[in-house]
Amino acid sequence: MATRRLPPLPTIQDLIRMYQLSARKQLSQNFLLDMNITRKIVKMAGKLEGGFVCEVGPGPGGITRSLLNTGANHVAVIEKDRRFMPSLQLLAEAAQGRLSVYQGDVLHFNMGQIIPEELAKPWDKTPPNIHIIGNLPFSVSTPLLIRWLAAMSSQSGPWKYGRTKLTLTFQKEVAERMVARILTDQRCRLSVMCQYLCDVKLKFVIPGRAFVPAPEVDVGVVHLVPRVTPLIQLPFPLVEKVARHVFHYRQKYCRRGVETLFPVHRLDLLEEMFEASGVDPESRCFMLSIGEMDRICHAYNDICQREPDIFAYNYRSRENAAKVRRKTKILTEMIEEQILHGKSSSGL
Ligand SMILES: C[S@@+](CC[C@H](N)C(=O)[O-])C[C@H]1O[C@@H](n2cnc3c(N)ncnc32)[C@H](O)[C@@H]1O
C-alpha cells in the first residue's frame, strides 16, 4: 500500500505560535519539533500500512503528522491538555477521516474500545497491525507502563486483539533499566517486569536538547513486543509483589528483600521458599536471572495457595505499626520526664 501524504499544513512551530501553546511543566510537556526525529520514532514502530495506531499525548501533533504520512489506515490520539485541540482538529481535517482526536487522561481512557475488531489476531500468531506510540509525559510514563503490562498479562484492553506492540519514550535512565541484563547496575524490578512479558529493545536515544523546552535528561525510544508465552506464568500482581520485594535491598543478599514477604514469626516460610526454588539466598538481586525469578515466584505462589493470608501480608504496615509504637514510647517518656520534674505538658 502506498504511503499517504498530508496536504501542506502550517509547521508545528507556526501552530505553537498561532495557538500560543507554551509548554506546561506540570504536564511534562517537552515538544519534538524536528520532523526527522518524529519520523525516526514512527519508523521504529515497524510497518504501519493499513494499520491502527493509538498515540498518547500528541501535544501540538509532531509525531501525529509523521504517523499520518505513513500508510496507517487510522490514527487515534489521546491528549489531556485542551489547548492542543484546535491544532489537532486542523490535522484531523487535513487527514480526511484518518485521525480521531480524544481529549482526556490516558490513565482513565479505555483504549480497547476504539480499536477496530477486524484487526484482531490470535495471541500465538504474528502481532496484529495495531500499535501504541507515544512521546510520553515523564510524570505518567512508569505508572502507565505498569498498567499496560498488567493489561497485557491478562490479554485485556488493547491486548484483547493480540500482541499489540508499543513504541514509547522514557527518560534514558528508565529506558536503560527496562532493558537491563543481569549483573548490570541498572537491573531492577522494572527490568524483570518488562522482560518477563515482552521482548524489549532500546532503539535509540534522543538528546534532551532536541526537545522544546529541553529537559535535563536524554530520552530513550523503547520498543516492546509482548511474548507469546510470558517467561513467568503466574498472575501479574503476584510477580509484581515478589519483584518489588526482591529488589527492595539492592546492596544486600536477596534473602533480605524476600524476608519482607513474610511475617517475622514465619521465617520458616522463607527457608522453604529458598529451598523449593533452589535460588542461593546470598545472591544479590541484580544477579538473579528471569529463570531464577520464575522459580522464586512459583515457590511463593505454592506457599500462598496453601496459606492465602500470606499474599495479603504487608510488611510496611508492620513497619508503620513499629514506628507508631516507637513514637508513642518517646512521647510517654517525655511526659513522664515532665511530670517527674514538675514541668507543664503544654510545651510538647
Ligand atoms: C512530552 S509531551 C509530548 C508532546 C508531543 N507528542 C511531542 O512529541 O511533541 C507529552 C504530552 O502528553 C500530554 N499528557 C500529559 N499527561 C497526559 C495524560 N495523563 N493523558 C494524556 N495526555 C497527557 C501532555 O499534555 C503533552 O502534550
Side-chain angles (χ1 to χ4, degrees):
M1 193 182 295
T3 299
R4 304 193 206 176
R5 293 245 151 239
L6 285 171
L9 282 165
T11 64
I12 295 288
Q13 286 88 335
D14 285 343
L15 286 177
I16 289 179
R17 264 193 301 274
M18 270 163 64
Y19 296 108
Q20 300 181 354
L21 302 172
S22 56
R24 288 201 172 141
K25 213 172 177 181
Q26 68 272 32
L27 285 175
S28 306
Q29 291 176 342
N30 305 99
F31 306 135
L32 272 175
L33 308 182
D34 182 339
M35 297 307 278
N36 288 321
I37 300 181
T38 58
R39 265 194 298 274
K40 194 168 169 188
I41 295 176
V42 167
K43 200 169 162 200
M44 294 307 142
K47 272 193 181 303
L48 305 183
E49 281 75 17
F52 179 89
V53 186
C54 192
E55 188 198 352
V56 178
I63 296 176
T64 322
R65 283 183 188 213
S66 296
L67 287 169
L68 290 167
N69 278 329
T70 68
N73 231 10
H74 201 85
V75 177
V77 295
I78 304 149
E79 171 57 58
K80 188 172 180 181
D81 188 343
R82 342 182 142 260
R83 293 178 310 145
F84 294 117
M85 292 304 120
S87 62
L88 292 170
Q89 289 305 343
L90 196 81
L91 259 187
E93 278 160 32
Q96 299 180 332
R98 289 172 61 224
L99 175 63
S100 309
V101 180
Y102 296 91
Q103 199 254 313
D105 185 335
V106 65
L107 293 169
H108 305 285
F109 189 86
N110 184 352
M111 223 184 260
Q113 250 180 11
I114 60 168
I115 297 175
E117 283 188 11
E118 61 274 17
L119 291 178
K121 286 261 186 87
W123 188 265
D124 58 352
K125 299 287 180 264
T126 52
N129 202 351
I130 305 168
H131 311 260
I132 298 174
I133 293 190
N135 173 18
L136 296 178
F138 292 154
S139 53
V140 296
S141 57
T142 310
L144 189 57
L145 176 69
I146 295 291
R147 274 180 201 214
W148 280 341
L149 291 173
M152 192 185 286
S153 76
S154 58
Q155 300 181 12
S156 60
W159 292 278
K160 73 178 177 205
Y161 304 94
R163 294 185 294 126
T164 298
K165 297 186 268 188
L166 302 128
T167 308
L168 306 167
T169 61
F170 294 90
Q171 292 186 41
K172 180 170 164 258
E173 203 183 286
V174 177
E176 285 172 348
R177 281 197 232 136
M178 291 166 69
V179 299
R181 300 279 147 211
I182 62 166
L183 300 171
T184 60
D185 282 350
Q186 292 93 339
R187 182 80 167 176
C188 66
R189 171 180 77 114
L190 202 55
S191 332
V192 172
M193 298 311 291
C194 290
Q195 294 170 27
Y196 98 85
L197 284 166
C198 298
D199 177 34
V200 45
K201 290 204 167 64
L202 172 53
K203 290 289 196 174
F204 69 101
V205 171
I206 311 173
R209 63 175 183 281
F211 295 82
V212 178
E216 280 165 15
V217 291
D218 293 340
V219 169
V221 177
V222 180
H223 186 64
L224 299 111
V225 184
R227 294 179 185 278
V228 173
T229 311
L231 298 180
I232 305 175
Q233 292 188 47
L234 284 170
F236 184 87
L238 184 133
V239 181
E240 195 280 329
K241 184 174 185 190
V242 174
R244 185 158 27 92
H245 283 252
V246 165
F247 284 91
H248 194 65
Y249 297 103
R250 237 193 111 67
Q251 299 309 327
K252 301 192 174 159
Y253 295 147
C254 68
R255 181 194 162 93
R256 184 70 190 87
V258 174
E259 205 176 276
T260 58
L261 284 166
F262 303 106
V264 271
H265 62 281
R266 293 307 312 272
L267 292 185
D268 55 310
L269 297 176
L270 176 71
E271 305 307 331
E272 179 186 332
M273 191 152 146
F274 278 108
E275 210 172 293
S277 65
V279 170
D280 179 359
E282 296 194 355
S283 298
R284 313 240 175 215
C285 51
F286 59 88
M287 297 163 77
L288 298 174
S289 66
I290 300 270
E292 285 170 307
M293 285 299 296
D294 176 50
R295 298 202 312 263
I296 293 180
C297 288
H298 272 94
Y300 180 65
N301 185 51
D302 289 347
I303 293 170
C304 295
Q305 293 289 326
R306 197 181 67 222
E307 300 192 37
D309 285 353
I310 292 296
F311 186 69
Y313 171 71
N314 175 3
Y315 86 105
R316 284 200 180 276
S317 53
R318 186 190 87 201
E319 253 184 6
N320 288 343
K323 262 190 213 151
V324 171
R325 270 199 304 277
R326 265 199 309 279
K327 275 196 184 150
T328 313
K329 187 166 172 267
I330 293 168
L331 277 173
T332 312
E333 281 168 6
M334 281 170 74
I335 292 167
E336 282 170 0
E337 175 89 343
Q338 285 178 347
I339 291 171
L340 260 178
H341 295 94
K343 287 183 200 158
S344 132
S345 63
S346 59
L348 277 176

